[in-house]
Amino acid sequence: MTATLPTLLVGSYTATGGGTATGISIVASTAASESDSADVRTVAVMDDPSFLAVSGDRVYAVSETADGGVSAFRRDGSGLEHLWDAPAGGDAPCHVRVDPSGALVVTNYVSGTVTAVSLRTAESHAASVLASDGLVAAHGSEELVGAPGSAVVTEVLPDASGPVEDRQEGPHAHQSIATPDGTVLVADLGGDALHEFRITDAPSIEPVRVHHVAPGVGPRHMAWYDGDLFVAGELDGHVHRLRRDESGSFVTVASAATFTGEVGESLLSHIEVDDAGRVFVAVRGRDLIVVLDAADGGLILVGSASSGGVWPRHFARVPGFVLVANQMSDAIAVLPLGDDGVPGEAVAQIPVGTPTCVVPV
């Protein structure tokens, strides 16, 4: 029986960011072994939609540009209807996420800022504009609906730096993640820190505390398993397992290298953990998907496999496969999962220009 892949939305770099895509792409559901000829088309033309978040029929995309922005769409079958735009509150927004509070959380890499957008306020405003003039604007037109200023608030991360001079000259907000305690953690690659905030859809951002990691880690993406936080160290090539102590601070309880030898230009990117405690992390430069075992409270390397292309920026796990967005290969590699969780060789390549984010829908 041939496995079928779900429909995918793909974020990419466009010409603005040196890429080859024209915006957000959709990949129609297809047989895994036939993905080379998959139906791929652009569904929203915009600059550098490098990261996407999907919630119900809503799709949110950053525009990773100087003075960046975030856009909201309604997904209708295989199409996207543009709803509204909001400022990202900084330069080069690289991650967006719908928080349980009802706020859209955007992290801005270059400026080291985090922004909360009240979805309730933004949606209400967009609906009122539509009701008043019947306007339905295409993304890229001059008549876009903008979220009101009252819907957006931005917090600047504290000034900090790290030992990797060319990457850690100041704070660089890379990703946010919700905590079981109702707060939000923001990974600061430049400051070797995790900033904890309390965010509401008012909107508001209230600093709670700062959790420091070892110098030179360069925390990028995070994931939860069994109450512990797993952090991909972009700059040190390690995955770190963190746990709250009695004071509420995160402390490192285990770390594991994802490869042997010098780090050099080997940069970790996305990380996920499955229900069995298998940690998946992508390594750019070495172009690997690495699997570690965290099931017994530690962190042990299981194995690694080729990412199926060059510069694995992001990946998505679907039943039986890992779909890897290999940024410099202009394709998403379809990797079958082995019994031990380690991927096998790619069985197909989905052609998408400069892919940076892949989301099953």
Short mmCIF file of all heavy atoms in Angstrom, two decimals, residues 10-14 17-21 48 50 64 174 220 234 267 269 282-285 287 307-315 323-333 349-358:
data_model
loop_
_atom_site.label_atom_id
_atom_site.label_comp_id
_atom_site.label_asym_id
_atom_site.label_seq_id
_atom_site.Cartn_x
_atom_site.Cartn_y
_atom_site.Cartn_z
N VAL A 10 4.14 25.63 2.52
CA VAL A 10 5.59 25.79 2.58
C VAL A 10 5.95 27.27 2.56
O VAL A 10 5.52 28.02 1.68
CB VAL A 10 6.27 25.08 1.39
CG1 VAL A 10 7.79 25.21 1.50
CG2 VAL A 10 5.86 23.62 1.32
N GLY A 11 6.73 27.69 3.55
CA GLY A 11 7.29 29.03 3.57
C GLY A 11 8.66 29.00 2.93
O GLY A 11 9.35 27.97 2.95
N SER A 12 9.08 30.12 2.35
CA SER A 12 10.32 30.16 1.58
C SER A 12 10.93 31.54 1.60
O SER A 12 10.31 32.53 2.02
CB SER A 12 10.05 29.78 0.11
OG SER A 12 9.59 28.47 -0.04
N TYR A 13 12.16 31.62 1.10
CA TYR A 13 12.76 32.90 0.78
C TYR A 13 12.46 33.23 -0.68
O TYR A 13 12.51 32.36 -1.55
CB TYR A 13 14.28 32.89 1.01
CG TYR A 13 14.68 33.01 2.45
CD1 TYR A 13 15.54 32.07 3.03
CD2 TYR A 13 14.21 34.05 3.24
CE1 TYR A 13 15.92 32.18 4.36
CE2 TYR A 13 14.58 34.17 4.57
CZ TYR A 13 15.44 33.23 5.13
OH TYR A 13 15.79 33.34 6.44
N THR A 14 12.15 34.50 -0.91
CA THR A 14 11.91 34.99 -2.27
C THR A 14 13.13 35.78 -2.73
O THR A 14 14.16 35.78 -2.06
CB THR A 14 10.65 35.86 -2.29
OG1 THR A 14 10.87 37.03 -1.47
CG2 THR A 14 9.44 35.11 -1.74
N GLY A 17 15.14 37.98 -0.27
CA GLY A 17 16.11 37.36 0.62
C GLY A 17 17.08 36.44 -0.09
O GLY A 17 17.72 35.60 0.55
N GLY A 18 17.21 36.60 -1.40
CA GLY A 18 18.14 35.78 -2.16
C GLY A 18 17.60 34.42 -2.54
O GLY A 18 18.37 33.54 -2.95
N GLY A 19 16.29 34.23 -2.42
CA GLY A 19 15.69 32.94 -2.74
C GLY A 19 15.07 32.89 -4.11
O GLY A 19 15.15 33.85 -4.89
N THR A 20 14.41 31.75 -4.40
CA THR A 20 13.84 31.53 -5.73
C THR A 20 12.32 31.40 -5.73
O THR A 20 11.71 31.25 -6.79
CB THR A 20 14.44 30.27 -6.36
OG1 THR A 20 14.15 29.14 -5.52
CG2 THR A 20 15.95 30.39 -6.50
N ALA A 21 11.68 31.43 -4.55
CA ALA A 21 10.23 31.30 -4.49
C ALA A 21 9.57 32.65 -4.75
O ALA A 21 10.23 33.70 -4.80
CB ALA A 21 9.81 30.76 -3.12
N ASP A 48 9.59 36.94 1.36
CA ASP A 48 10.27 36.14 2.39
C ASP A 48 9.35 35.62 3.50
O ASP A 48 9.58 35.90 4.68
CB ASP A 48 11.41 36.95 3.01
CG ASP A 48 12.52 37.25 2.00
OD1 ASP A 48 12.60 36.54 0.98
OD2 ASP A 48 13.30 38.18 2.25
N SER A 50 9.23 33.26 5.57
CA SER A 50 10.16 32.20 5.98
C SER A 50 9.62 31.29 7.07
O SER A 50 10.18 30.22 7.29
CB SER A 50 11.49 32.82 6.45
OG SER A 50 11.29 33.60 7.61
N GLU A 64 10.18 38.03 6.49
CA GLU A 64 11.48 38.20 7.13
C GLU A 64 12.33 39.22 6.37
O GLU A 64 13.29 38.89 5.68
CB GLU A 64 12.23 36.86 7.22
CG GLU A 64 13.46 36.95 8.11
CD GLU A 64 14.21 35.62 8.22
OE1 GLU A 64 13.58 34.56 8.06
OE2 GLU A 64 15.43 35.67 8.45
N HIS A 174 14.89 34.14 18.43
CA HIS A 174 14.75 33.19 17.33
C HIS A 174 13.45 32.41 17.34
O HIS A 174 12.90 32.12 16.28
CB HIS A 174 15.92 32.22 17.31
CG HIS A 174 16.35 31.85 15.92
ND1 HIS A 174 15.48 31.32 15.00
CD2 HIS A 174 17.53 31.98 15.28
CE1 HIS A 174 16.11 31.13 13.86
NE2 HIS A 174 17.35 31.53 14.00
N ARG A 220 18.42 28.11 19.62
CA ARG A 220 17.64 28.45 18.43
C ARG A 220 16.18 28.02 18.57
O ARG A 220 15.30 28.84 18.73
CB ARG A 220 18.27 27.82 17.19
CG ARG A 220 17.50 28.11 15.88
CD ARG A 220 18.09 27.38 14.71
NE ARG A 220 17.30 27.51 13.50
CZ ARG A 220 17.54 28.38 12.54
NH1 ARG A 220 18.54 29.24 12.64
NH2 ARG A 220 16.78 28.43 11.46
N GLU A 234 22.32 26.12 18.27
CA GLU A 234 22.74 26.35 16.89
C GLU A 234 24.26 26.47 16.78
O GLU A 234 24.86 26.03 15.80
CB GLU A 234 22.09 27.61 16.32
CG GLU A 234 22.60 27.96 14.92
CD GLU A 234 21.80 29.03 14.23
OE1 GLU A 234 20.60 29.21 14.54
OE2 GLU A 234 22.37 29.71 13.36
N LEU A 267 25.51 24.01 11.80
CA LEU A 267 24.57 24.81 12.59
C LEU A 267 23.25 24.06 12.78
O LEU A 267 22.57 23.73 11.79
CB LEU A 267 24.30 26.15 11.89
CG LEU A 267 25.53 27.00 11.54
CD1 LEU A 267 25.12 28.20 10.72
CD2 LEU A 267 26.26 27.43 12.79
N SER A 269 19.32 23.52 13.55
CA SER A 269 18.17 24.35 13.22
C SER A 269 16.95 23.89 14.00
O SER A 269 16.83 24.18 15.19
CB SER A 269 17.91 24.37 11.71
OG SER A 269 17.72 23.06 11.20
N ALA A 282 17.78 18.91 13.11
CA ALA A 282 18.44 19.07 11.82
C ALA A 282 19.76 19.80 12.01
O ALA A 282 19.87 20.72 12.83
CB ALA A 282 17.54 19.83 10.86
N VAL A 283 20.77 19.38 11.24
CA VAL A 283 22.09 19.99 11.30
C VAL A 283 22.48 20.49 9.92
O VAL A 283 22.74 19.69 9.01
CB VAL A 283 23.17 18.99 11.80
CG1 VAL A 283 24.50 19.71 11.98
CG2 VAL A 283 22.74 18.33 13.11
N ARG A 284 22.48 21.80 9.75
CA ARG A 284 22.92 22.39 8.49
C ARG A 284 24.45 22.32 8.40
O ARG A 284 25.13 22.23 9.40
CB ARG A 284 22.44 23.84 8.40
CG ARG A 284 20.93 23.97 8.32
CD ARG A 284 20.46 25.38 8.57
NE ARG A 284 20.75 25.78 9.95
CZ ARG A 284 20.62 27.02 10.40
NH1 ARG A 284 20.21 28.00 9.59
NH2 ARG A 284 20.89 27.29 11.66
N GLY A 285 24.97 22.41 7.20
CA GLY A 285 26.41 22.28 7.03
C GLY A 285 26.80 20.83 6.86
O GLY A 285 27.43 20.45 5.87
N ASP A 287 24.31 18.62 6.90
CA ASP A 287 23.12 18.16 6.19
C ASP A 287 22.63 16.81 6.71
O ASP A 287 22.51 15.82 5.98
CB ASP A 287 23.38 18.12 4.68
CG ASP A 287 23.77 19.48 4.13
OD1 ASP A 287 23.31 20.50 4.70
OD2 ASP A 287 24.53 19.54 3.15
N SER A 307 19.98 14.41 5.29
CA SER A 307 18.73 15.17 5.22
C SER A 307 18.10 15.10 3.83
O SER A 307 17.01 15.63 3.62
CB SER A 307 18.98 16.64 5.58
OG SER A 307 19.78 17.28 4.59
N GLY A 308 18.80 14.49 2.89
CA GLY A 308 18.26 14.36 1.54
C GLY A 308 18.47 15.58 0.69
O GLY A 308 17.89 15.70 -0.41
N GLY A 309 19.29 16.51 1.17
CA GLY A 309 19.55 17.73 0.41
C GLY A 309 20.54 18.60 1.15
O GLY A 309 21.28 18.12 2.03
N VAL A 310 20.53 19.88 0.81
CA VAL A 310 21.51 20.81 1.36
C VAL A 310 20.83 21.86 2.22
O VAL A 310 19.88 22.51 1.79
CB VAL A 310 22.30 21.49 0.22
CG1 VAL A 310 23.33 22.47 0.78
CG2 VAL A 310 22.98 20.45 -0.67
N TRP A 311 21.35 22.03 3.43
CA TRP A 311 20.93 23.07 4.39
C TRP A 311 19.52 22.84 4.91
O TRP A 311 18.59 23.60 4.62
CB TRP A 311 21.06 24.45 3.75
CG TRP A 311 21.43 25.54 4.73
CD1 TRP A 311 20.63 26.57 5.13
CD2 TRP A 311 22.69 25.73 5.40
NE1 TRP A 311 21.30 27.38 6.03
CE2 TRP A 311 22.58 26.90 6.20
CE3 TRP A 311 23.89 25.02 5.41
CZ2 TRP A 311 23.62 27.36 6.99
CZ3 TRP A 311 24.93 25.49 6.21
CH2 TRP A 311 24.79 26.65 6.98
N PRO A 312 19.32 21.78 5.72
CA PRO A 312 18.00 21.48 6.28
C PRO A 312 17.55 22.54 7.29
O PRO A 312 17.97 22.52 8.44
CB PRO A 312 18.20 20.11 6.95
CG PRO A 312 19.67 20.07 7.27
CD PRO A 312 20.34 20.81 6.16
N ARG A 313 16.71 23.42 6.85
CA ARG A 313 16.28 24.57 7.65
C ARG A 313 15.15 24.20 8.62
O ARG A 313 15.04 24.73 9.71
CB ARG A 313 15.83 25.68 6.70
CG ARG A 313 15.21 26.92 7.33
CD ARG A 313 16.24 27.79 7.98
NE ARG A 313 15.66 29.03 8.47
CZ ARG A 313 16.02 30.25 8.05
NH1 ARG A 313 16.95 30.38 7.13
NH2 ARG A 313 15.46 31.32 8.55
N HIS A 314 14.30 23.28 8.21
CA HIS A 314 13.10 22.95 8.99
C HIS A 314 12.63 21.58 8.55
O HIS A 314 13.04 21.08 7.48
CB HIS A 314 12.02 24.01 8.73
CG HIS A 314 10.82 23.91 9.63
ND1 HIS A 314 9.62 23.39 9.20
CD2 HIS A 314 10.63 24.26 10.92
CE1 HIS A 314 8.74 23.44 10.20
NE2 HIS A 314 9.33 23.94 11.26
N PHE A 315 11.78 20.94 9.34
CA PHE A 315 11.21 19.66 8.93
C PHE A 315 9.86 19.48 9.62
O PHE A 315 9.53 20.18 10.58
CB PHE A 315 12.14 18.48 9.25
CG PHE A 315 12.46 18.32 10.72
CD1 PHE A 315 11.60 17.65 11.57
CD2 PHE A 315 13.64 18.83 11.24
CE1 PHE A 315 11.90 17.51 12.93
CE2 PHE A 315 13.95 18.69 12.59
CZ PHE A 315 13.08 18.03 13.43
N LEU A 323 9.64 15.07 6.60
CA LEU A 323 9.68 15.93 5.41
C LEU A 323 10.63 17.08 5.71
O LEU A 323 10.36 17.89 6.59
CB LEU A 323 8.29 16.45 5.08
CG LEU A 323 7.18 15.38 5.01
CD1 LEU A 323 5.83 16.02 4.73
CD2 LEU A 323 7.50 14.32 3.96
N VAL A 324 11.74 17.14 4.99
CA VAL A 324 12.81 18.07 5.31
C VAL A 324 12.86 19.20 4.28
O VAL A 324 13.02 18.95 3.08
CB VAL A 324 14.18 17.37 5.37
CG1 VAL A 324 15.25 18.34 5.84
CG2 VAL A 324 14.12 16.16 6.30
N ALA A 325 12.75 20.43 4.77
CA ALA A 325 12.89 21.61 3.91
C ALA A 325 14.36 21.93 3.77
O ALA A 325 14.96 22.58 4.63
CB ALA A 325 12.13 22.80 4.51
N ASN A 326 14.96 21.43 2.70
CA ASN A 326 16.38 21.69 2.42
C ASN A 326 16.50 22.98 1.63
O ASN A 326 16.28 23.01 0.41
CB ASN A 326 16.98 20.51 1.65
CG ASN A 326 17.17 19.29 2.53
OD1 ASN A 326 17.88 19.34 3.54
ND2 ASN A 326 16.54 18.18 2.16
N GLN A 327 16.83 24.04 2.34
CA GLN A 327 16.77 25.39 1.79
C GLN A 327 17.56 25.57 0.50
O GLN A 327 17.10 26.21 -0.44
CB GLN A 327 17.29 26.38 2.86
CG GLN A 327 17.30 27.83 2.43
CD GLN A 327 17.83 28.72 3.54
OE1 GLN A 327 17.72 28.39 4.72
NE2 GLN A 327 18.43 29.83 3.17
N MET A 328 18.76 25.02 0.44
CA MET A 328 19.63 25.26 -0.71
C MET A 328 19.49 24.22 -1.82
O MET A 328 20.22 24.26 -2.80
CB MET A 328 21.09 25.35 -0.24
CG MET A 328 21.35 26.53 0.67
SD MET A 328 23.11 26.66 1.13
CE MET A 328 23.06 28.04 2.28
N SER A 329 18.54 23.32 -1.66
CA SER A 329 18.28 22.31 -2.70
C SER A 329 17.01 22.61 -3.49
O SER A 329 16.68 21.87 -4.42
CB SER A 329 18.17 20.91 -2.09
OG SER A 329 19.38 20.51 -1.50
N ASP A 330 16.29 23.65 -3.07
CA ASP A 330 15.01 23.97 -3.73
C ASP A 330 14.07 22.76 -3.73
O ASP A 330 13.39 22.49 -4.73
CB ASP A 330 15.23 24.47 -5.16
CG ASP A 330 15.86 25.85 -5.21
OD1 ASP A 330 15.67 26.62 -4.25
OD2 ASP A 330 16.55 26.15 -6.20
N ALA A 331 14.03 22.06 -2.61
CA ALA A 331 13.18 20.87 -2.54
C ALA A 331 12.95 20.45 -1.10
O ALA A 331 13.74 20.76 -0.20
CB ALA A 331 13.82 19.71 -3.31
N ILE A 332 11.86 19.71 -0.91
CA ILE A 332 11.55 19.06 0.36
C ILE A 332 11.79 17.58 0.18
O ILE A 332 11.18 16.94 -0.69
CB ILE A 332 10.09 19.33 0.78
CG1 ILE A 332 9.89 20.82 1.05
CG2 ILE A 332 9.73 18.51 2.02
CD1 ILE A 332 8.45 21.22 1.21
N ALA A 333 12.69 17.03 0.96
CA ALA A 333 13.03 15.62 0.86
C ALA A 333 12.04 14.79 1.69
O ALA A 333 11.69 15.16 2.82
CB ALA A 333 14.45 15.37 1.34
N GLN A 349 11.58 13.79 -3.85
CA GLN A 349 11.89 15.20 -3.63
C GLN A 349 10.72 16.03 -4.14
O GLN A 349 10.28 15.85 -5.29
CB GLN A 349 13.16 15.61 -4.38
CG GLN A 349 14.42 14.84 -3.99
CD GLN A 349 15.03 15.34 -2.70
OE1 GLN A 349 14.69 16.42 -2.19
NE2 GLN A 349 15.96 14.55 -2.15
N ILE A 350 10.20 16.91 -3.29
CA ILE A 350 9.11 17.81 -3.70
C ILE A 350 9.73 19.13 -4.11
O ILE A 350 10.34 19.82 -3.28
CB ILE A 350 8.11 18.03 -2.55
CG1 ILE A 350 7.55 16.70 -2.05
CG2 ILE A 350 6.98 18.95 -3.00
CD1 ILE A 350 6.68 16.81 -0.81
N PRO A 351 9.62 19.54 -5.35
CA PRO A 351 10.29 20.75 -5.82
C PRO A 351 9.60 22.02 -5.34
O PRO A 351 8.47 22.33 -5.74
CB PRO A 351 10.21 20.64 -7.34
CG PRO A 351 8.99 19.80 -7.60
CD PRO A 351 8.90 18.84 -6.44
N VAL A 352 10.26 22.74 -4.44
CA VAL A 352 9.77 24.03 -3.94
C VAL A 352 10.96 24.96 -3.81
O VAL A 352 11.99 24.59 -3.26
CB VAL A 352 9.09 23.89 -2.56
CG1 VAL A 352 8.53 25.23 -2.10
CG2 VAL A 352 7.99 22.85 -2.59
N GLY A 353 10.84 26.19 -4.30
CA GLY A 353 11.94 27.13 -4.26
C GLY A 353 12.34 27.54 -2.86
O GLY A 353 11.50 27.97 -2.07
N THR A 354 13.61 27.39 -2.52
CA THR A 354 14.22 27.86 -1.26
C THR A 354 13.32 27.63 -0.05
O THR A 354 12.99 28.55 0.68
CB THR A 354 14.57 29.35 -1.37
OG1 THR A 354 14.91 29.68 -2.69
CG2 THR A 354 15.74 29.69 -0.44
N PRO A 355 12.93 26.38 0.22
CA PRO A 355 11.99 26.13 1.33
C PRO A 355 12.64 26.34 2.70
O PRO A 355 13.78 25.92 2.93
CB PRO A 355 11.59 24.67 1.13
CG PRO A 355 12.80 24.05 0.50
CD PRO A 355 13.36 25.12 -0.42
N THR A 356 11.92 26.98 3.60
CA THR A 356 12.42 27.25 4.95
C THR A 356 11.49 26.77 6.04
O THR A 356 11.88 26.75 7.21
CB THR A 356 12.65 28.77 5.12
OG1 THR A 356 11.41 29.45 4.87
CG2 THR A 356 13.72 29.29 4.18
N CYS A 357 10.29 26.37 5.68
CA CYS A 357 9.31 25.93 6.68
C CYS A 357 8.27 25.07 5.98
O CYS A 357 7.77 25.45 4.92
CB CYS A 357 8.63 27.14 7.34
SG CYS A 357 7.37 26.74 8.56
N VAL A 358 7.96 23.90 6.55
CA VAL A 358 6.96 23.01 5.97
C VAL A 358 5.95 22.63 7.04
O VAL A 358 6.31 22.20 8.13
CB VAL A 358 7.62 21.76 5.33
CG1 VAL A 358 8.51 21.03 6.32
CG2 VAL A 358 6.58 20.84 4.75
#
